[in-house]
Amino acid sequence: MHVINDFFLLIWSERLNQQAVFDEKHKRELDQIRSTTFDNFCDSAAILLIINPHNFANMARLEEPKTVLKTLFQHTIFSKETIQYAQSQLLGYLIYLGNVQINHAILKRLELLKKEGIISYDALRSLGSILSLIEEKKIEVTALHVKRATPQENYYKTALYRLFVAIENLKGAVELPRLQERLHLIPERLENQRFSIGITGVMNAGKSTMLNALLGKEVLGTSVVPETANLTLIKYAKEPYAVVNFWNAKEWSKIEEGAKSLKSLEAFVKESRAHFGETFNTIITPKGESASIPVESLALYTSAKHSDKKCNLVKSVELYTDLKFVQDGVQIVDTPGLDDPVIQREEITLEYLSECDLMIHLMNAAQAATQKDIDFIIDALLYRNVAQLLIVITRIDAIAEKELQEVIAYTKRSIEARLKEQNKGAKLDEVIAKIVFIPIAGKLALMHKLGQEKEALALGYDMERTGLPLVETYLEDVLFGSNSQKANLIISSNRKEIESIIIESMASFEQERHYLTISHEEIEQAYAKHQEEKTVMAHFLEQIKTSVAQSKEEMEHYFGTLQKFANNQLDKLSYVVKRRISDDVSYEFSKNKKAPKEERIGSMIETAMKDGLVDLVRDYRYEFQKKMQSSLEYMDAQYGEFKSDTSAHHFDARAFCEEHLGSLLIFKNSTIVISGANDAIKKYGKNDLNMLSTALDAILGTEFLHVKEMLEEKLHKINHVLLSSFVSLCEAPARLIEERFSAEEALLEKAMRQMRDATHNREARSVEIEEKVRVMGIVLNDLSATKESK
């Protein structure tokens, strides 16, 4: 060991009588002293190293050098031999450690001794040169493998794969259990994401044929007699099966109530009651029955031809398939025709459609742009928050190219005319801008998918000409392209979560590295200070808990206030609808001596109801947002001095309302009230306006009672989520503060345990942390690059 030999030549001006060899029997004792009393170890090492021939006699008279000799090496005799032996063993131990941080700590003590005049400048320089000769020991730590992401078939899948790769890379780097748990939840959340496609159209529009072509298999019936007379949800499962959901008693009672006003519905109810007789109540129950069945048996429940009338009692069907089209989280809402006589089914259908990410409306080229089509298109784009509507014109193989262009032009003219009828002509450009037209030959496309391409080609249609590839490209782009709002939201929110986990982990590692460089006394001081701050923090958290409880109670009370507000708005809307009908009837009879056209009354009621309900929802959201803003500002103020500790947490009432109230829409079919109003006009409009007013009160009273029930039921569900989310939002900063304090406390306790652990290797741990931080840095850079390349 040349360092030890150099020490004795430089300090003692002599060589050791025997070869300098570190005796490892001293390792355990020295490790124990260094781990438990780091400062004392460094002090003792400095005192031992400064003993030389020039100060030996003076040092022998002092108690401290003797104590050092006894503490470090259990020698009680202070002699040249014992001192030289102790110095050689200490240097051997420092060489064994190869820890530059410890050497620097000893050098700092030597500098203090020089400053106090205890050693000379030459002695300091000599000892400093000796310590500098001790080489830093290289700690071997197995490098963590970093997997790199590769491009996938579309933007969303590529971005998704990058997130999964990032998570995989972080599994070996993230240590805190709380952060590991958060990391573990992300893949499950990503795999459960769903992209919904709503399919609408009148009966015989070709919905089933197009869906079968998209799915690549004849899953749905395509007869002119509708096979999918019910709402059908198509989802993915490894093992195909189906679930049939029947109406519950309350839902069926509404159907029977509607049958009193609508003859088509009356015949449907009578047929159903007569056919099932006493068994009716075993199928239509208060709770609502469901049956899981093989896919092959589906027609026995849904087919108008084969179900033995069971399709009358079915509300909806869930069809689970292993087909590729629905593998990546895609689910399809296949609706019954818009001309379905069971109008209650339309309301349920619209509820499902309101949550779809994309809507496709089909129109038969030979029967395009019916009144039902146009009304649905306008309704979807003006009232249902549909951002873009794909209109698929089907069966184009039955018409000429020139006729196809006329169908599109006619559809646009019909939309314009209908908007003008409703005094919404100014909305034309807004509506048309949201529509994309794609013509297809669905049956011929299905032939290609089923291996019958020769027959399709014989008719002059290759796959490209059928138009289906355009639909598939459109769906791919809207759902999974770089401009997909939902795809970007999913990627962005989960990327931010991963980044947050990395940043918290790196901060924790940085804090731990700091604790690895300081003394045991400094760690204990830091722990004591932390406990003082923790007491203050606990008192603060108790105040926050009280404030949150008060805010929760206020919010619960406010829900009742909002319900009354909504009911008052509905009462006003009922009065407005009645006044418009009465004024129009009075005007027509006084000027033209006849009743207004039924279509006009229908349009008036439909428009007034939709506009009124949209206004109601908008006003409800506005009032709620005001209250929410006030409550959140109050909570924000409560955090006071701790605000900086919550990672600049800011409450956002608008974002909260958008997230939780964005889907608050009311879907009510007005067919019954329109029919009732027209009947009342025929009966009383000409001779008795007072009786007409009374009849309209009864009709509208029943209608708006149903609307109030619908709204109350919807708000009951939403309010539960709102309250839970509100409380969670208010408590979030407090949780962050508490988690930070707990994490810091755990690090301090870990540091103190490590100080007492003689086997703990600070240097190895420091290198291990460095490797994990390196991996996190790579992942963080990759995530940032992904964000910038979008």
Side-chain angles (χ1 to χ4, degrees):
M1 293 188 176
H2 68 278
V3 173
I4 299 176
N5 291 325
D6 289 349
F7 171 83
F8 283 100
L9 281 173
L10 193 60
I11 303 301
W12 290 86
S13 302
E14 61 183 64
R15 291 182 181 276
L16 282 178
N17 294 330
Q18 56 186 15
Q19 186 179 1
V21 177
F22 173 55
D23 189 345
E24 291 205 9
K25 72 179 182 182
H26 298 302
K27 179 180 177 299
R28 181 177 293 276
E29 289 78 7
L30 293 173
D31 278 341
Q32 180 70 22
I33 296 167
R34 177 177 62 85
S35 299
T36 55
T37 55
F38 181 79
D39 287 339
N40 287 345
F41 171 80
C42 293
D43 290 345
S44 297
I47 291 170
L48 188 58
L49 290 176
I50 65 172
I51 301 173
N52 59 56
H54 306 293
N55 63 15
F56 184 84
N58 290 332
M59 298 292 278
R61 288 193 288 270
L62 300 174
E63 285 302 318
E64 195 161 359
K66 296 175 183 176
T67 303
V68 167
L69 188 64
K70 183 178 180 181
T71 301
L72 295 184
F73 297 102
Q74 293 78 48
H75 284 294
T76 55
I77 300 172
F78 192 91
S79 65
K80 178 181 176 183
E81 290 73 20
T82 56
I83 290 298
Q84 287 188 338
Y85 174 78
Q87 288 175 331
S88 69
Q89 292 303 302
L90 174 62
L91 288 169
Y93 179 64
L94 294 178
I95 293 167
Y96 163 79
L97 291 177
N99 189 317
V100 174
Q101 293 171 337
I102 293 175
N103 298 340
H104 285 170
I106 295 170
L107 185 60
K108 281 184 179 179
R109 276 125 175 116
L110 295 173
E111 289 171 348
L112 286 174
L113 292 173
K114 187 267 173 190
K115 204 176 275 187
E116 295 293 326
I118 296 172
I119 62 173
S120 66
Y121 174 76
D122 288 340
L124 172 64
R125 187 174 61 178
S126 298
L127 290 170
S129 66
I130 293 297
L131 289 173
S132 68
L133 292 174
I134 299 175
E135 296 181 0
E136 182 178 5
K137 183 178 284 186
K138 300 298 180 185
I139 308 295
E140 295 295 329
V141 174
T142 303
L144 296 174
H145 174 67
V146 180
K147 184 179 179 181
R148 308 315 287 257
T150 53
Q152 303 297 302
E153 59 190 85
N154 59 43
Y155 161 77
Y156 178 69
K157 285 188 178 180
T158 297
L160 204 61
Y161 182 60
R162 283 174 175 160
L163 294 184
F164 280 119
V165 168
I167 292 166
E168 188 64 30
N169 287 331
L170 290 173
K171 283 181 180 177
V174 174
E175 290 187 359
L176 292 177
R178 174 175 56 84
L179 299 182
Q180 286 177 337
E181 184 179 351
R182 281 171 57 185
L183 191 68
H184 177 73
L185 291 174
I186 299 172
E188 183 180 352
R189 189 162 59 239
L190 288 171
E191 287 167 359
N192 288 332
Q193 292 297 331
R194 294 290 176 263
F195 293 84
S196 296
I197 303 173
I199 313 289
T200 64
V202 299
M203 289 182 183
N204 202 29
K207 298 194 301 297
S208 295
T209 303
M210 187 200 72
L211 270 175
N212 286 336
L214 282 173
L215 294 168
K217 186 177 180 181
E218 281 197 280
V219 177
L220 304 170
T222 56
S223 169
V224 173
V225 178
E227 295 292 308
T228 50
N230 310 96
L231 177 71
T232 303
L233 308 176
I234 305 172
K235 306 177 183 180
Y236 176 78
K238 286 183 180 179
E239 298 296 329
Y241 69 100
V243 175
V244 177
N245 303 305
F246 296 95
W247 300 102
N248 64 39
K250 185 178 180 181
E251 292 164 340
W252 185 263
S253 69
K254 289 184 179 179
I255 293 175
E256 293 198 342
E257 189 177 329
K260 296 173 184 177
S261 305
L262 299 174
K263 293 196 178 297
S264 59
L265 200 53
E266 181 184 9
F268 172 83
V269 169
K270 281 183 177 178
E271 177 189 67
S272 302
R273 280 287 190 179
H275 183 81
F276 289 99
E278 293 181 1
T279 63
F280 180 87
N281 290 330
T282 64
I283 302 173
I284 303 299
T285 64
K287 183 181 177 182
E289 298 297 315
S290 293
S292 183
I293 60 170
V295 174
E296 299 76 34
S297 304
L298 197 56
L300 300 178
Y301 292 84
T302 62
S303 169
K305 292 187 294 184
H306 307 296
S307 70
D308 192 27
K309 305 300 179 185
K310 278 186 182 175
C311 62
N312 289 15
L313 308 186
V314 174
K315 177 174 67 173
S316 65
V317 172
E318 297 166 45
L319 175 59
Y320 293 86
T321 172
D322 59 351
L323 296 175
K324 184 178 184 299
F325 187 81
V326 290
Q327 265 186 0
D328 299 316
V330 173
Q331 64 181 29
I332 297 169
V333 180
D334 181 25
T335 69
L338 297 178
D339 35 8
D340 185 349
V342 186
I343 60 173
Q344 283 74 15
R345 193 180 282 132
E346 181 187 349
E347 292 170 4
I348 296 170
T349 298
L350 289 172
E351 284 284 352
Y352 276 100
L353 290 177
S354 70
E355 297 176 7
C356 286
D357 304 297
L358 170 64
M359 197 175 295
I360 303 176
H361 183 72
L362 277 72
M363 296 193 306
N364 186 330
Q367 306 165 359
T370 66
Q371 190 67 62
K372 280 278 186 183
D373 288 317
I374 300 305
D375 285 345
F376 178 81
I377 291 168
I378 292 173
D379 181 68
L381 297 176
L382 288 187
Y383 298 104
R384 306 301 175 202
N385 292 339
V386 175
Q388 193 167 55
L389 179 66
L390 172 62
I391 296 181
V392 174
I393 301 172
T394 63
R395 302 180 185 176
I396 60 168
D397 48 312
I399 62 171
E401 175 66 26
K402 184 179 179 182
E403 291 177 278
L404 175 60
Q405 296 306 315
E406 176 53 32
V407 167
I408 296 174
Y410 176 69
T411 302
K412 291 180 178 179
R413 290 197 302 271
S414 299
I415 292 171
E416 181 178 13
R418 191 63 169 158
L419 285 171
K420 286 180 178 178
E421 281 180 29
Q422 298 177 1
N423 297 317
K424 289 183 170 61
K427 298 279 188 178
L428 177 64
D429 291 341
E430 176 189 332
V431 169
I432 296 298
K434 293 179 179 179
I435 297 175
V436 173
F437 290 92
I438 297 180
I440 69 165
K443 187 175 181 180
L444 295 166
L446 181 58
M447 286 181 180
H448 280 279
K449 289 290 184 80
L450 298 179
Q452 301 167 10
E453 59 271 9
K454 287 184 179 179
E455 297 172 44
L457 290 169
L459 293 169
Y461 280 82
D462 60 11
M463 179 56 97
E464 201 67 33
R465 193 183 173 197
T466 67
L468 188 69
L470 282 177
V471 174
E472 292 173 328
T473 300
Y474 175 86
L475 295 179
E476 181 86 5
D477 184 55
V478 171
L479 294 178
F480 304 121
S482 59
N483 292 320
S484 166
Q485 186 175 358
K486 182 166 185 176
N488 280 310
L489 182 62
I490 292 169
I491 298 302
S492 174
S493 61
N494 286 281
R495 184 184 62 238
K496 286 177 182 175
E497 172 69 350
I498 295 172
E499 289 173 341
S500 172
I501 291 168
I502 292 174
I503 290 167
E504 282 193 57
S505 291
M506 292 176 82
S508 175
F509 279 139
E510 187 60 36
Q511 190 70 28
E512 185 179 352
R513 270 202 287 208
H514 169 67
Y515 292 147
L516 288 171
T517 64
I518 63 177
S519 67
H520 185 63
E521 288 78 5
E522 288 172 309
I523 290 174
E524 286 184 330
Q525 289 171 5
Y527 185 78
K529 182 182 178 184
H530 176 272
Q531 293 303 304
E532 292 174 6
E533 292 175 349
K534 185 179 176 181
T535 303
V536 176
M537 183 271 293
H539 178 66
F540 163 73
L541 291 179
E542 194 59 39
Q543 290 179 319
I544 288 297
K545 186 177 178 181
T546 302
S547 297
V548 171
Q550 291 173 348
S551 295
K552 179 184 178 182
E553 188 177 340
E554 286 180 15
M555 193 60 72
E556 286 176 322
H557 176 74
Y558 191 68
F559 286 145
T561 303
L562 279 178
Q563 185 69 60
K564 291 177 183 176
F565 164 79
N567 287 339
N568 289 336
Q569 293 295 92
L570 288 172
D571 289 338
K572 290 178 184 177
L573 177 57
S574 177
Y575 173 76
V576 168
V577 174
K578 174 189 168 183
R579 191 191 66 206
R580 288 185 185 177
I581 296 171
S582 300
D583 289 350
D584 199 65
V585 169
S586 178
Y587 175 81
E588 284 295 324
F589 273 111
S590 63
K591 184 175 181 181
N592 299 318
K593 311 302 179 187
K594 62 180 180 179
K597 291 181 179 180
E598 290 188 4
E599 294 81 4
R600 176 177 170 78
I601 294 298
S603 178
M604 183 186 301
I605 293 173
E606 189 86 26
T607 303
M609 290 281 287
K610 286 178 180 175
D611 287 342
L613 291 176
V614 166
D615 290 343
L616 166 63
V617 169
R618 184 195 63 222
D619 293 343
Y620 185 96
R621 291 178 63 182
Y622 174 73
E623 293 298 326
F624 182 83
Q625 186 170 321
K626 278 199 306 182
K627 175 63 177 177
M628 176 63 74
Q629 185 69 46
S630 172
S631 297
L632 294 181
E633 284 175 357
Y634 168 75
M635 285 305 304
D636 204 21
Q638 295 305 298
Y639 282 94
E641 63 185 280
F642 283 87
K643 207 174 288 184
S644 60
D645 291 332
T646 62
S647 303
H649 186 283
H650 293 292
F651 296 119
D652 189 337
R654 183 174 180 179
F656 182 90
C657 291
E658 284 297 323
E659 179 184 355
H660 296 285
L661 293 172
S663 62
L664 179 57
L665 298 169
I666 305 170
F667 306 101
K668 189 72 180 76
N669 188 299
S670 302
T671 304
I672 293 174
V673 74
I674 291 170
S675 175
N678 278 315
D679 288 345
I681 291 168
K682 288 177 188 176
K683 190 172 183 179
Y684 305 113
K686 185 176 181 180
N687 302 314
D688 196 338
L689 290 179
N690 287 331
M691 282 300 295
L692 174 63
S693 177
T694 302
L696 290 176
D697 280 338
I699 294 164
L700 292 170
T702 301
E703 180 73 3
F704 277 89
L705 180 62
H706 289 160
V707 175
K708 287 178 182 179
E709 288 175 354
M710 289 173 65
L711 181 62
E712 187 173 354
E713 185 177 345
K714 176 165 277 201
L715 289 178
H716 179 73
K717 293 176 183 176
I718 288 178
N719 289 348
H720 177 74
V721 176
L722 282 172
L723 193 62
S724 175
S725 299
F726 170 72
V727 171
S728 179
L729 183 67
C730 291
E731 290 177 341
R735 284 197 301 273
L736 288 175
I737 294 170
E738 192 168 19
E739 285 171 1
R740 193 209 69 182
F741 268 84
S742 296
E744 190 174 346
E745 183 174 48
L747 279 177
L748 283 163
E749 289 174 347
K750 180 181 178 182
M752 288 194 291
R753 285 196 305 273
Q754 289 171 345
M755 280 289 189
R756 292 189 292 270
D757 182 3
T759 63
H760 176 66
N761 190 324
R762 284 186 167 199
E763 298 73 45
R765 177 57 180 163
S766 182
V767 174
E768 182 184 15
I769 288 174
E770 188 176 337
E771 174 62 11
K772 293 187 174 185
V773 170
R774 179 188 72 83
V775 171
M776 289 181 180
I778 292 172
V779 175
L780 202 56
N781 287 335
D782 286 349
L783 291 174
S784 298
T786 302
K787 184 165 49 179
E788 291 168 5
S789 64
K790 192 266 168 184

